[in-house]
Amino acid sequence: MIKSLEELKQIRDKYKDVLQNREAEENKIRILVGMATCGIAAGARDTINAIVEEVRNQNLDNAIVVQTGCMGFCYAEPTVEVRFPGQSPILYGKIDAEKGREIVRRHVKGGEVIREWVLRG
């Protein structure tokens, strides 16, 4: 239990860097890969590993790769969602490792949505 204003300020200062990092990450492109059991069974581990590797190879320090749970499209696993700050997310389906690399090169780096792989909800 916090007992004084001074103690509260110390806690705030202790976590200040973490909070600033969160704000910085909110301005980055987020690449979410569905890693629920349905995604893993369909090969999502290979997909996320390929995406992480391609982000690194392309030196994209403005993008982060995040594993997430089921996105509700189990029939289309592995699924990958690309979120640019301030834009609607784009959800791709049936993304294997090679398609994952191509999403990084064309969409994340080049800004081109690959329409033939986009899932419609």
Side-chain angles (χ1 to χ4, degrees):
M1 174 180 247
I2 300 171
K3 296 181 179 170
S4 69
L5 180 58
E6 190 58 37
E7 187 177 349
L8 181 61
K9 287 179 182 177
Q10 289 174 353
I11 292 170
R12 180 195 64 195
D13 292 342
K14 180 178 177 182
Y15 293 104
K16 192 174 181 179
D17 290 342
V18 174
L19 294 173
Q20 287 174 339
N21 285 340
R22 283 186 186 167
E23 290 173 7
E25 286 186 3
E26 289 177 7
N27 294 324
K28 291 187 174 188
I29 301 164
R30 298 174 62 90
I31 307 166
L32 287 78
V33 179
M35 295 290 290
T37 53
C38 52
I40 292 170
R45 286 185 202 275
D46 291 340
T47 301
I48 195 169
N49 288 337
I51 289 172
V52 167
E53 182 181 303
E54 192 64 24
V55 165
R56 194 174 298 137
N57 289 343
Q58 297 292 328
N59 296 316
L60 298 173
D61 57 359
N62 64 337
I64 57 172
V65 181
V66 179
Q67 70 178 40
T68 188
C70 182
M71 291 193 241
F73 294 90
C74 301
Y75 69 93
E77 293 292 346
T79 51
V80 174
E81 185 174 277
V82 177
R83 295 181 181 182
F84 278 71
Q87 296 182 14
S88 297
I90 303 294
L91 180 62
Y92 293 104
K94 299 188 177 186
I95 303 302
D96 61 15
E98 187 51 42
K99 286 181 177 177
R101 288 184 196 97
E102 196 163 340
I103 286 170
V104 172
R105 288 189 299 262
R106 290 173 58 186
H107 188 168
V108 176
K109 186 175 182 183
E112 173 196 357
V113 175
I114 307 170
R115 301 219 178 272
E116 61 268 26
W117 302 342
V118 172
L119 287 176
R120 310 267 185 242

